[in-house]
Amino acid sequence: MAAYGAAASLKNTILRILQSYRISLVPPSPEVLQPAYEAMVRLQKVVQKLDETSCSKIRTKVNALDDRIKEVVWEFEDVLESLYTDQILPQLESSGSDLLPFSVDLQSLRQSVDCFVERLAVMEAEYDVELLNMPEEEGQAVSSRIDFSGINSTMVGLSKEFERVRDHLLAKGEGEGEGESESQNGNGVNWLLVTGMAGVGKTTLAKKVFDDPMILRHFEFRAWVRVGRKCESNETLRCILAQLDPNTLDQMLTKRDDDDADLEKLVGLMKERLKDKKCLITLDDVWEWDTRVMDNLRIENVQILLTSRIGMVEFPILQLRFLNKNESLKLLSEKVFGEGGFPPHLDELGKKIAYKCEGLPLMIVTVAEFLSKEEKTISYWTEIVQKQHNSVFVDAYNQISEVLFPSYDYLPQYLKMFFLYLGAFLPYKNIDTNSVCNLFIAEGFIEPNMEQTSVDFFLDYMEKLDRYYHLVLFRLHNGSWFSSTIARVHSCWQHLCKKEASKIKFLHVLQSYDDVMRDQRRMCAHSHMLFAFKQVYDLINSDCASTARSFLCLGRYNQYPVPIHAMNFKLLRVLSAYKARFYLIPLEIFKLVCLRYLSLTCNQDLPVFISNLFHLQFLIINQHLCIRKRGVVSYMPEKLWNMKDLQYIEVTGRDLPTPNSDATLDKLSSLIYVSEKSCTREILKRIPNLKKLVIRVELEPYDDEDDSKSLYGLDYTLEELHNLEILTYNLVNPDMKYARILDLSMFPSSLTKLNLKGSGCPWEHITDIGLLLPNLTQLTLLRYACRGPEWDIESRCFLKLEILVIEDIDMVRWRAQQGSLPRLNLLSIRHCYKLQQLDWICDPSMVTTHNIELIECNPLAVASAKQLKPESLFKVRCHSSF
């Protein structure tokens, strides 16, 4: 993993130097660095060979060599970027123009490059040898693989999942669905795959099904095989035969032939034994899909139940969920106190401890073991709840890490650094996927191709980690009030990630003022109070600041500044300090010429020095307090237009200035929280590839007479944005005295998502907007975005709209004429207390089901929605706190 990530980082560094619009290389060609770049391409291919090896191979020596290769790559990257920075900084300080190119002499690096490439070639050859000579994990004896007597089948919760598995096996055992079913996977074998995170209870569920009385009565034979990371096809079949025919038990326990002839003989014996018999075969803890086994088990009346922590087939039948709050509490109480449950004085504390286990049965049981050994007092349990790194949880994390670690160790190389990075974020909290995606791009971890954008790559990685490897929880919300985006790493995995990342020097999460931080590549802090200790930043300064690439402040928002200026970072790429307030932006930041990502909170206007950060891709500046002076507009420096690598700008309360030159920001795709003053034709035509625009409009104080004119700065401007896909228009603190009309020409036809807040438009104007946006798939109207008692949506309007959200609007009647909203999947109406009637005239021949949500709405609206015809086309869900 470490070598692959190091190679990706160095590749990205080399490309940035070679492709920089401000760098003039000496010699004037990529000939010096090109061999190093090509070596990184080869290195990634070499280390990826590990992914093709069996899970039964022991990787200890290969991982050790991988770590040594990583050190060599990092050492060269440090030399390269230090040379680059040392030459750029003096020129930057003496330069009188932001447009003059900087000269970087790489001639002195030529010998280092040659030496580096030679060292890598030797280590790659050694890597290939180690791959060929990886030892096999010792296989278990057949007797231990088929011994399931010690597996506990007592389960708390998951009763519906249990019944689903059992009923599926019984139904298939009766010959239901003789054709190809979804579980037959096109090969005629009836199998059911139960997947989920390690420790979620897959084996317990399988054992409960295996022992169920209905299963015992239905199947004449049962066989249980613990497969694990190493179990050959022949051995699996011997394990099964040993349980089907007691006469062959001794022979199966001792015979170890693995040739094809033996396989055919075993299959023949099995078919003969199972002729006209019903059999359930449970293959537990399967790591690799064994086609030979599954093909040879295509025997009539044989049902196969598999459990695996990996989604080995495209559509797993059942992904086991975590326990809910009540189930978690019940399991914890039973393990600590037996059937009696918690004593009253520990009940609330027990709920909090159960919550911290996040529904993972293995975690709950392990924590319960430690709790059972200690005094059950209020003071002790309070300490467990309140202390972030309590010994009970730390010891439990360490104990179950032995079970979890193989899931990480056998991940593909390209996913490992991605997963370790996610472990840096706060436990028990969702991760902001947009922010993390931006961080990954800035770190250089994502290598998109022509077919996928960086965002697509990020989402693809998250999907793989969730649905195939079950290492993260990732669900993007579909706009529904009843669902929410989930993007987080379970706390037990965060513990393992932090431990492993720190071990390989990839990333260290600060937990104490005396942490060991020698040579850590990335630093992260969850508690900003750590920086009250001078020892902390002195330690960082001496141990890793000179080579650190990232500094992440990810804790809760803190209004007191972090003394970043006291840490002599030199090669920093990512400075994420959004959650820490700055009174003034330290001037030292503008010497970080390698910086690609900058986020912080500060009310100070951006100085002109911001253009020194000419590699910057992401600029995010929040305001601590949004204080406005009458008639004063805060603009960013004009030199910002010279920062050609900018992809994302989020600057609350600050606007882009009008450029005096013909400068353009061709890479800028997101412009967030600017006012209408940034949306003139002269500015927007310089951002031709903008895809997302968030406009924040605040009415001028004290000028009530002019309020009606405040929105007209946008007239005839957004038409310049031919690639705009997402537009949010937010009028802060709207005053409903005036009807406001947004000029229709401000909405480019390329829009797919439109969010309006507080704009107070008449409903007929929204319909006109819909007629002009043929590609619109999502429309969100919030907080008096519209006004008037009735919205009548005309035929042929919003033909591609899939999601419509209406919230906090004084609408009384909503009507959709026939021929409108043909693709609408979700209509979500929230906090519309005056709404009384919904009329939706649908073509009965349509097959699209329309989901309607009514959240905190008038009961008359609920009754009206439930009367919509035909009933088969409408699914109504409601929620009310009354």
Side-chain angles (χ1 to χ4, degrees), residues 96 150 249 260 277 300 384 387 437 475 478 481 562 565 574 610 625 649 651 678 681 717 846 863:
L249 179 60
D260 291 338
K277 304 291 185 182
E300 188 178 359
I384 294 171
K387 192 174 179 182
C437 181
R475 297 288 186 277
N478 59 359
W481 183 87
V562 173
H565 61 279
V574 171
I610 190 70
L625 294 173
I649 297 177
V651 281
S678 288
R681 180 191 298 272
T717 53
M846 292 181 61

Side-chain angles (χ1 to χ4, degrees), residues 818 842-847 870 873:
Q818 186 167 348
C842 285
D843 185 344
S845 64
M846 292 181 61
V847 295
L873 292 182

Side-chain angles (χ1 to χ4, degrees), residues 626-641:
C626 189
I627 301 174
R628 295 189 62 214
K629 294 182 180 179
R630 185 179 180 184
V632 175
V633 180
S634 177
Y635 286 105
M636 289 177 280
E638 186 184 341
K639 290 185 177 183
L640 195 79
W641 288 98

